[in-house]
Amino acid sequence: MEYMTESTNRSPGHILCCECGVPISPNPANICVACLRSKVDISQGIPKQVSISFCKQCQRYFQPPGTWIQCALESRELLALCLNKIKAPLSKVRLVDAGFVWTEPHSKRLKVKLTIQKEVMNGAILQQVFVVDYVVQCQMCGDCHRVEAKDFWKAVIQVRQKTLHKKTFYYLEQLILKYGMHQNTLRIKEIHDGLDFYYSSKQHAQKMVEFLQCTVPCRYKASQRLISQDIHSNTYNYKSTFSVEIVPVCKDNVVCLSPKLAQSLGNMNQICVCIRVTSAIHLIDPNTLQVADVDGSTFWNHPFNSLCHPKQLEEFIVMDCSIVRDIKRGAGAGMISKKHTLGEVWVQKTSELNTDKQYFCRTHLGHLLNPGDLVLGFDLANCNLNDEHVNKMNSDRVPDVVLIKKSYDRTKRQRRRNWKLKELARERENMDTDDERQYQDFLEDLEEDETIRKNVNIYRDSAIPVESDTDDEGAPRISLAEMLEDLHISQDATGGEGLDALGVHTET
């Protein structure tokens, strides 16, 4: 009975470790875990410190063999990148778990805790936890290297317009800013008659050319030059050039259409005024208020030029103005503008007020003009018009004066302008003193034309006090509802500057 009781009290499920004699559960090696770890290190061969490359300019990590990827701290993508650095040694063990150990964001260290298993000593499975330290090394990626070099480019877009006024370029600049098409450019260079956009890849340049074709009437030619080649791997290195030509017509230009084009547009008169240039040329006949749109392909098939340049604009004073109620329309006439009113006016040059010489003309500005108003226009009667279409016209069909827009006090308009525009960061050379005047003309066009204004991001200028939307002279202005707030939020989310920009006021 004593023997049976003695055998019952013993625990047959345990054995003694052959190294230290501690009771353990039976295992193939008959060794306790502590002794087994002292004899075998399953993490041997796995590096405990690894370097990883990081580009500070674009915030990307290097993924061998030659790609750079965007990863947030402690993200799954960054963890996969870290494990991929030790992929070969990890293939000899079984990875059970992996995760980041928190480190300071500016410590340039990434710590990954790994849990691995491996079969050792007669089939015993040993599990071990250890930390791999990744040292973040700063290295500039190839794309940022090209941006910093500024002279290394693979594609260039040369945008040109053969006009004396840059209104179309100012409008195009705002479209590029609104849709962020300038983000992939290495640099932007401004020259006398256009802009040059430099790119690190041909694909980015092609995307920009497609954008230009959708926003302004233009045509382009592409060419490429061989820089280097490798006959063994059959690879070639080219520099591509895209020459983009915008139609040589700007807003407020007076043009003369060819007889065939005028007939195809609804039997318009050949002398027309360009009221705006967007994705097409928008023309209006000042004699009948008939409007038509000419796209890029139609223009290049039937080209026409501006009859007068902006410096030939003269100031007239309105002596008398009457509205034409009954407009006679011919057969096959096109669409009539609803935003304009046809008027018959007598005008006199402000430089000839001491004479009796007056001019009679029809104008599309009948809704704006009253006796005594000042208006800008072109004196075609005393101008040398060297145009092939005008030379073939009957002189009776060429008006003496073509009025363009009502004149307001520019100084007062600048003082009351409580909005601003953003500009592209570009290199300038051979700056013309006339550029400031042309830019002010573009700002006035935005105030006067709501259609163009819808495509432009207009920001409120907090430095200018807000006044009423009415003006003593009746000059058009932009309402506050059409303006955007230009926020500048600081990086510190708890800082006073960032809260003030959001309109949040803290009390202490």
Side-chain angles (χ1 to χ4, degrees):
M1 290 295 294
E2 292 180 0
Y3 177 77
M4 292 297 295
T5 305
E6 194 177 28
S7 62
T8 304
N9 294 333
R10 296 167 65 185
S11 51
H14 288 78
I15 62 172
L16 300 179
C17 174
C18 64
E19 291 288 337
C20 63
V22 176
I24 60 172
S25 299
N27 59 62
N30 295 330
I31 304 177
C32 67
V33 176
C35 295
L36 192 58
R37 284 179 177 170
S38 64
K39 288 180 172 293
V40 181
D41 183 12
I42 62 174
S43 66
Q44 188 176 5
I46 301 177
K48 303 303 186 294
Q49 190 174 41
V50 184
S51 62
I52 186 171
S53 299
F54 175 72
C55 180
K56 293 194 298 183
Q57 271 76 6
C58 60
Q59 304 290 313
R60 293 188 300 175
Y61 292 90
F62 178 65
Q63 184 179 32
T67 58
W68 293 79
I69 59 175
Q70 195 93 23
C71 298
L73 286 176
E74 299 190 4
S75 63
R76 295 179 59 183
E77 294 80 7
L78 185 57
L79 181 61
L81 178 62
C82 293
L83 295 178
N84 195 44
K85 297 285 289 185
I86 54 176
K87 183 178 180 180
L90 279 180
S91 62
K92 300 177 182 179
V93 297
R94 180 171 177 262
L95 181 62
V96 178
D97 187 26
F100 283 103
V101 179
W102 187 86
T103 56
E104 288 285 348
H106 303 291
S107 64
K108 294 187 178 180
R109 293 292 188 274
L110 299 175
K111 293 187 177 183
V112 179
K113 184 173 68 173
L114 302 178
T115 304
I116 60 174
Q117 290 180 351
K118 187 177 182 181
E119 184 179 336
V120 295
M121 285 193 179
N122 302 323
I125 297 178
L126 183 62
Q127 179 171 309
Q128 187 173 346
V129 180
F130 63 99
V131 175
V132 179
D133 192 4
Y134 290 85
V135 180
V136 180
Q137 295 181 344
C138 294
Q139 177 184 345
M140 188 178 291
C141 66
D143 294 337
C144 295
H145 213 287
R146 297 186 187 99
V147 174
E148 291 297 322
K150 292 186 178 180
D151 291 329
F152 186 90
W153 52 271
K154 287 192 174 181
V156 60
I157 302 177
Q158 299 172 340
V159 185
R160 301 290 184 268
Q161 186 183 29
K162 298 177 181 178
T163 57
L164 296 176
H165 207 292
K166 297 181 179 181
K167 287 184 179 181
T168 307
F169 276 106
Y170 292 134
Y171 173 69
L172 182 61
E173 176 186 16
Q174 296 304 316
L175 290 179
I176 292 174
L177 286 169
K178 181 175 183 178
Y179 296 104
M181 297 302 297
H182 62 294
Q183 295 178 353
N184 294 322
T185 56
L186 296 179
R187 61 170 175 155
I188 302 174
K189 185 177 181 181
E190 180 180 354
I191 60 174
H192 177 64
D193 56 347
L195 295 171
D196 289 345
F197 298 87
Y198 293 88
Y199 294 89
S200 60
S201 68
K202 185 178 179 181
Q203 289 75 17
H204 291 156
Q206 289 174 331
K207 186 177 180 180
M208 182 64 171
V209 171
E210 294 173 359
F211 175 78
L212 293 175
Q213 288 182 300
C214 296
T215 52
V216 290
C218 61
R219 63 179 177 180
Y220 79 96
K221 292 182 180 180
S223 62
Q224 58 185 10
R225 180 164 57 96
L226 181 64
I227 303 301
S228 62
Q229 63 175 333
D230 187 353
I231 59 175
H232 301 289
S233 60
N234 199 26
T235 57
Y236 299 87
N237 183 19
Y238 289 99
K239 279 192 175 182
S240 302
T241 301
F242 296 88
S243 299
V244 180
E245 182 181 2
I246 303 176
V247 294
V249 177
C250 281
K251 184 181 184 300
D252 297 337
N253 283 164
V254 178
V255 299
C256 182
L257 309 179
S258 64
K260 185 176 181 180
L261 179 60
Q263 184 180 8
S264 65
L265 296 177
N267 292 325
M268 295 179 67
N269 289 318
Q270 291 182 245
I271 302 295
C272 297
V273 177
C274 176
I275 52 177
R276 77 179 62 90
V277 178
T278 56
S279 57
I281 305 172
H282 302 268
L283 301 175
I284 188 170
D285 184 355
N287 286 313
T288 62
L289 294 186
Q290 187 172 332
V291 292
D293 296 342
V294 179
D295 58 13
S297 60
T298 304
F299 174 85
W300 300 118
N301 291 330
H302 305 280
F304 51 86
N305 296 314
S306 175
L307 299 182
C308 307
H309 57 79
K311 292 184 179 180
Q312 292 177 298
L313 273 175
E314 296 193 53
E315 190 177 58
F316 296 85
I317 185 170
V318 179
M319 310 303 294
D320 186 26
C321 179
S322 60
I323 303 300
V324 180
R325 302 297 179 183
D326 298 328
I327 304 176
K328 296 181 179 180
R329 304 185 64 189
M335 186 182 300
I336 297 296
S337 174
K338 303 296 184 182
K339 296 182 179 180
H340 299 84
T341 303
L342 186 62
E344 292 181 343
V345 296
W346 285 91
V347 295
Q348 187 177 16
K349 290 184 181 180
T350 54
S351 59
E352 298 176 349
L353 291 179
N354 56 348
T355 65
D356 296 333
K357 191 172 184 180
Q358 296 185 3
Y359 302 90
F360 174 80
C361 66
R362 278 193 167 193
T363 178
H364 59 289
L365 305 176
H367 59 297
L368 297 176
L369 300 183
N370 296 298
D373 288 343
L374 296 178
V375 62
L376 299 177
F378 292 107
D379 181 10
L380 301 185
N382 301 314
C383 182
N384 184 16
L385 301 177
N386 186 15
D387 185 85
E388 57 175 343
H389 301 312
V390 176
N391 295 336
K392 297 177 183 179
M393 288 180 60
N394 190 343
S395 59
D396 296 337
R397 299 185 62 85
V398 180
D400 292 338
V401 173
V402 177
L403 301 182
I404 300 299
K405 61 181 180 179
K406 189 176 179 180
S407 179
Y408 301 97
D409 186 354
R410 170 165 287 186
T411 304
K412 185 179 294 185
R413 293 182 73 171
Q414 290 181 4
R415 187 173 63 251
R416 295 194 175 189
R417 187 172 292 139
N418 59 346
W419 55 273
K420 59 183 178 180
L421 301 176
K422 291 186 177 181
E423 296 184 9
L424 286 174
R426 56 187 183 268
E427 301 175 7
R428 303 172 185 264
E429 62 177 24
N430 299 327
M431 288 296 294
D432 194 354
T433 55
D434 197 40
D435 287 347
E436 181 61 28
R437 183 188 65 84
Q438 295 185 17
Y439 188 68
Q440 293 299 325
D441 288 343
F442 173 70
L443 297 182
E444 293 175 1
D445 291 342
L446 289 180
E447 294 174 336
E448 297 168 5
D449 195 343
E450 183 182 358
T451 305
I452 296 180
R453 202 160 61 230
K454 291 179 179 178
N455 300 327
V456 176
N457 285 343
I458 298 173
Y459 298 91
R460 178 182 169 186
D461 191 356
S462 58
I464 307 297
V466 179
E467 299 181 5
S468 62
D469 290 341
T470 59
D471 196 340
D472 297 336
E473 295 184 351
R477 300 180 64 188
I478 299 178
S479 63
L480 291 175
E482 298 178 82
M483 301 181 192
L484 302 174
E485 290 290 344
D486 189 12
L487 295 180
H488 297 284
I489 303 176
S490 61
Q491 293 182 355
D492 185 5
T494 60
E497 181 182 351
L499 294 175
D500 291 340
L502 289 172
V504 179
H505 300 281
T506 57
E507 296 183 359
T508 56

